[in-house]
Amino acid sequence: MKPILKIKIAVDAAMSVSMLLLMAYGLVGEAAHEWIGMGMFALLVVHHALNRRWIQAVPQGHYTPRRFLQTALAGLIFLCMSGSMFSGIVLSRHVFAFLPRHGGYELAGKLHILCAFWGFVLMSLHLGMHWNMLLTMARKHLRPNQIRTWILRIAGYSFAVYGAVAFVRRDVGLYLLLRSHFVFFDYSEPLARFLLDYLAVMGLFVAVGYFVNLLLCNANYLHTSHRKR
């Protein structure tokens, strides 16, 4: 594996962990949440720097449905991250406490919740769209083993199903639709249990992104094969 690819994977993994910790705002504390958010912003800048060639190629070439979806996801994620950052600065009580106060907290709070939850879902879908690439790299370093493959598949599908249950139990849909302007936290709940639930929700949308990507790849292959006939 090339060193640059290792760096990209490490940055993406760090972003995923940061996103999970950011969702646990009420359990990690305000100050920690803000500093993790700053770290997330720094990782986002590094991520875009590492993928600058892809960004430069956006206005070029032919757009297939798969490429269109990937580009749209990247654009929406950028908007969500920007919205989270700007609203977070307005709401900040620690990192940006030196800034003058001008009001607008209610609007910033709503925007922060909306961008945070949609950013979480869209990043998970984006990861799922590239999951096949990670599986391909893993297969190159592991010997073929049907039993292990099926065990991992069953575990992955089971975790995604658990993610659907956690999605409902954690009222994630309410926050995505902004039907609740405050995120409920049970402060007696262990942080590990909260993170496990949100990791499962992430796994659910990773699975959705993975299967959507497979469908689009197959559709593109069939379309290309038909045109060559």
Side-chain angles (χ1 to χ4, degrees):
M1 187 184 298
K2 295 180 180 180
I4 187 65
L5 186 56
K6 291 181 179 180
I7 294 173
K8 286 182 178 181
I9 293 174
V11 170
D12 290 349
M15 288 176 65
S16 299
V17 173
S18 298
M19 179 60 76
L20 283 171
L21 290 172
L22 286 171
M23 303 309 289
Y25 158 77
L27 300 179
V28 299
E30 284 187 356
H33 178 80
E34 291 186 22
W35 284 111
I36 294 170
M38 290 299 298
M40 181 68 174
F41 177 74
L43 288 169
L44 191 67
V45 172
V46 173
H47 175 84
H48 281 82
L50 292 171
N51 292 278
R52 61 188 180 278
R53 289 184 180 178
W54 182 90
I55 297 172
Q56 291 168 353
V58 167
Q60 304 170 3
H62 173 67
Y63 267 78
T64 61
R66 177 173 177 268
R67 187 186 179 196
F68 178 82
L69 180 58
Q70 286 183 324
T71 305
L73 276 176
L76 289 171
I77 290 170
F78 178 78
L79 288 176
C80 286
M81 293 300 103
S82 299
S84 293
M85 187 64 190
F86 287 122
S87 58
I89 291 174
V90 173
L91 297 169
S92 176
R93 296 181 180 178
H94 302 276
V95 178
F96 296 99
F98 59 89
L99 293 178
R101 300 295 174 179
H102 298 291
Y105 299 113
E106 184 178 354
L107 178 60
K110 293 178 182 179
L111 180 63
H112 202 67
I113 291 174
L114 196 63
C115 288
F117 278 88
W118 274 108
F120 177 76
V121 168
L122 293 170
M123 278 188 64
S124 302
L125 289 171
H126 178 72
L127 180 59
M129 292 286 289
H130 294 82
W131 198 251
N132 195 48
M133 180 183 70
L134 297 176
L135 292 177
T136 301
M137 288 190 296
R139 293 188 188 104
K140 290 181 179 179
H141 295 84
L142 295 173
R143 294 180 179 179
N145 187 310
Q146 289 294 327
I147 296 177
R148 181 185 60 215
T149 298
W150 278 105
I151 289 175
L152 290 175
R153 282 180 180 174
I154 293 171
Y157 296 151
S158 300
F159 197 57
V161 171
Y162 174 63
V165 175
F167 179 91
V168 175
R169 187 171 68 231
R170 295 286 179 177
D171 294 325
V172 177
L174 295 181
Y175 306 130
L176 290 172
L177 298 174
L178 205 61
R179 294 179 60 185
S180 175
H181 298 166
F182 299 95
V183 180
F184 173 78
F185 288 100
D186 179 1
Y187 293 98
S188 65
E189 176 185 24
L191 176 61
R193 183 186 299 171
F194 180 95
L195 294 177
L196 177 63
D197 276 9
Y198 270 83
L199 180 61
V201 174
M202 179 181 285
L204 168 65
F205 286 101
V206 166
V208 171
Y210 172 72
F211 284 112
V212 168
N213 183 62
L214 285 183
L215 287 173
L216 292 176
C217 285
N218 290 335
N220 185 59
Y221 173 77
L222 292 173
H223 178 69
T224 304
S225 300
H226 179 73
R227 290 183 63 183
K228 290 181 178 180
R229 291 177 182 176

